[in-house]
Amino acid sequence: MNKKEQHRILFVCHGNICRSPMAEFIMKAMVHERGLDDRFHIESAAVSTEEIGNGIYPPARSCLSFHGIPFDRSRTAWQIRRSDYDRFDLIICMDRSNLRWMKYIIPNDPENKIHLMMSFAAGTGAADVADPWYTDDFETTYRDLTLGCSGLLKLLLEED
């Protein structure tokens, strides 16, 4: 990625009520802590339509609050569209299932914008961010997302 005025990042998960909004607000907090808010635009979206219009899942909100991560309580889930490929520099999927869904929404990735979140979490050996919808383990998800966001931010700042 070339040096740019603003990095535009979209985090994506299945329903956009757990992992991707957690990643959105964790990354925003990391960026804010470094005083880089004006250099980043960060959002999150879903690959499915199941949760469109719903807010962040309450246990995900609790986890963010427990860790002191501010979030927008009015934020609601929305589905990624093909046109979002042009709006964002990076589209970060939480797991391989999300990647498969993405191929129906955005069939081609000529600019290599679509990645797995854990590909930025060096040394974990994990391919997917743990899905708390099924495990109810929001702490493991928080850890995965923190590692992924830290690695992504480090990479982007090194490239600037």
Side-chain angles (χ1 to χ4, degrees):
M1 185 180 302
N2 299 328
K3 183 178 172 91
K4 56 182 66 218
E5 194 171 301
Q6 190 177 58
H7 296 283
R8 299 182 61 77
I9 303 166
L10 181 65
F11 293 106
V12 178
C13 71
H14 185 80
N16 192 218
I17 61 168
C18 293
R19 294 176 294 172
S20 60
M22 287 177 72
E24 173 185 348
F25 291 109
I26 290 167
M27 187 71 161
K28 284 179 175 177
M30 289 178 176
V31 164
H32 182 73
E33 184 177 281
R34 290 165 180 77
L36 302 172
D37 301 273
D38 60 333
R39 292 179 48 198
F40 287 83
H41 176 84
I42 304 162
E43 293 183 45
S44 63
V47 292
S48 78
T49 58
E50 295 167 36
E51 299 289 346
I52 302 305
N54 291 334
I56 301 172
Y57 190 50
R61 288 195 319 252
S62 295
C63 184
L64 291 172
S65 293
F66 177 79
H67 290 283
I69 305 294
F71 59 91
D72 179 356
R73 291 184 180 277
S74 67
R75 186 218 158 276
T76 59
W78 61 280
Q79 185 183 32
I80 187 171
R81 298 167 302 274
R82 187 171 291 180
S83 61
D84 292 320
Y85 189 82
D86 295 328
R87 289 186 43 226
F88 292 93
D89 307 313
L90 289 170
I91 299 171
I92 311 297
C93 295
M94 298 298 122
D95 62 34
R96 290 168 287 189
S97 173
N98 303 150
L99 278 177
R100 285 189 298 276
W101 279 71
M102 286 292 290
K103 291 188 187 307
Y104 294 104
I105 301 166
I106 301 172
N108 299 309
D109 182 15
E111 297 177 48
N112 194 33
K113 294 181 178 187
I114 303 171
H115 302 274
L116 281 170
M117 177 63 142
M118 295 308 285
S119 68
F120 300 103
T124 65
D128 296 340
V129 173
D131 190 344
W133 182 258
Y134 299 105
T135 66
D136 202 33
D137 182 358
F138 287 83
E139 285 304 311
T140 296
T141 301
Y142 178 83
R143 183 201 69 227
D144 287 351
L145 294 173
T146 299
L147 290 170
C149 286
S150 293
L152 175 58
L153 183 57
K154 181 178 185 230
L155 177 70
L156 293 174
L157 293 179
E158 286 172 356
E159 291 178 352
D160 278 353

